[in-house]
Amino acid sequence: SVHEIFYTFTNVSSYLDAVLHAYSYYSINFKSISRKNFDLVCQHIKPDQVITLTLSDDQDTPGLIGLFLSRFQINQFTRLRLLRLIEIGPDYWEIIITKMIELKNLRSFIYIPSIGNNSWISKLSGNERTELDRRLFDSYAPILPQLHRLQLNHGDFLESVQFPGLRHLLLHESSTGLIERISARAPQLKTLDTPIKRFDWSTDVMYPLPRLNRLVLRIEGEILKKVTA
C-alpha cells in the first residue's frame, strides 16, 4: 500500500526519495486506513502522481473525507483513471461531483452506497432525488461518455447520455425501460449488473447488446444470471 511504501523508503537515501517523488502511478485506498497512515500519505503525495483513488466515509474511517477535502480538491488529480467513493454522504457528494468534469483521464467511476435503508440517497423522496440529479447532472455529464466502467446507486438521469466506450455498468436501482434506453446508447457494453423492480415476466429483455458477455439481473430477491462465451 502507499502508506507502507512511504513509511519504509522515505529518508533512506536521496535516490529513493527522488524515485518516490517522481513515480506517477500511485493507487491510493483510504478505506479502513488509520489517521496516522492517512496523514503520512497526504504529507508525501502529489495529486498528479495518483491514477486510482478510493475515498470512504464509512464507520471505519469517520471524518477522514472531510480532512482529505480540506487538503486536496478532486480536480487536482489530473491523471486519475479510477475514482471510487464509498458511503460518501451529501455533505461531500456535491463537492466531489462538481469537480469531476476536469478529470479528462477518468475512465472508471464507482459509487458504493450504504447498504439498504442506511443509504442517504434512499432516504430522499422522489422529488428530492430528481432535484439533486437535475442540479448535478450538468456539472459532470460531459465526462460520462469517456467512461469505460460506471457504478451508481441509480441511473434515472442516464437516459439521454451517449456511452460510446462504456464496457461495464452496475446500478443498484433500475428498470426494464431504463436498461432498454441505456442499451441503445452503449454499443460496447460487455457486463451489466442491476436489479429490476416491478418486473413483468412478459417483458422482452433481449436488448441489442452485441458485445454483452455477462448479465446479472436481480429480480424481486431472485437472481437471474446468464453468462455467454
Side-chain angles (χ1 to χ4, degrees), residues 193-194 215-226:
D193 187 334
T194 182
L215 173 65
V216 178
L217 299 179
R218 294 180 295 281
I219 301 172
E220 296 181 348
E222 298 179 359
I223 297 292
L224 174 64
K225 182 173 183 179
K226 180 180 180 180

Side-chain angles (χ1 to χ4, degrees), residues 175-190:
S175 66
T176 53
L178 177 62
I179 294 176
E180 181 178 16
R181 288 185 286 274
I182 290 178
S183 69
R185 295 175 170 84
Q188 303 299 318
L189 197 64
K190 293 183 177 181

Side-chain angles (χ1 to χ4, degrees), residues 43-219:
Q43 177 184 352
H44 291 283
I45 204 72
K46 293 183 296 184
D48 61 1
Q49 294 178 285
V50 182
I51 60 170
T52 73
L53 176 64
T54 297
L55 300 175
S56 175
D57 198 29
D58 61 13
Q59 61 183 0
D60 294 327
T61 51
L64 285 189
I65 180 63
L67 291 173
F68 176 83
L69 293 175
S70 70
R71 303 186 187 197
F72 304 104
Q73 295 293 321
I74 288 298
N75 58 335
Q76 294 178 286
F77 293 81
T78 54
R79 300 185 70 249
L80 199 64
R81 299 177 187 175
L82 181 150
L83 176 61
R84 181 184 292 107
L85 306 179
I86 302 175
E87 300 186 24
I88 302 298
D91 293 340
Y92 304 110
W93 176 256
E94 293 194 36
I95 296 174
I96 295 173
I97 292 298
T98 53
K99 298 290 185 180
M100 285 174 53
I101 190 173
E102 300 180 46
L103 303 180
K104 303 304 182 183
N105 291 305
L106 193 69
R107 295 296 178 265
S108 299
F109 177 57
I110 298 172
Y111 175 66
I112 303 175
S114 302
I115 298 176
N117 294 329
N118 292 323
S119 170
W120 65 272
I121 293 180
S122 68
K123 296 177 182 178
L124 298 178
S125 67
N127 290 336
E128 289 173 331
R129 190 165 76 171
T130 298
E131 173 59 24
L132 177 64
D133 290 340
R134 184 197 63 77
R135 188 169 70 249
L136 294 182
F137 183 72
D138 290 339
S139 298
Y140 67 96
I143 73 162
L144 293 176
Q146 73 189 41
L147 298 180
H148 294 167
R149 181 183 299 272
L150 179 61
Q151 177 175 338
L152 290 173
N153 186 71
H154 66 285
D156 298 345
F157 54 94
L158 299 178
E159 298 181 358
S160 61
V161 179
Q162 297 291 331
F163 291 102
L166 188 66
R167 296 165 190 166
H168 310 283
L169 176 64
L170 190 155
L171 298 174
H172 296 277
E173 295 181 19
S174 188
S175 66
T176 53
L178 177 62
I179 294 176
E180 181 178 16
R181 288 185 286 274
I182 290 178
S183 69
R185 295 175 170 84
Q188 303 299 318
L189 197 64
K190 293 183 177 181
T191 68
L192 174 62
D193 187 334
T194 182
I196 299 293
K197 292 185 176 181
R198 299 180 297 277
F199 183 76
D200 181 355
W201 286 102
S202 65
T203 301
D204 182 4
V205 295
M206 299 303 293
Y207 302 127
L209 292 167
R211 297 184 180 275
L212 195 71
N213 56 37
R214 185 174 188 271
L215 173 65
V216 178
L217 299 179
R218 294 180 295 281
I219 301 172

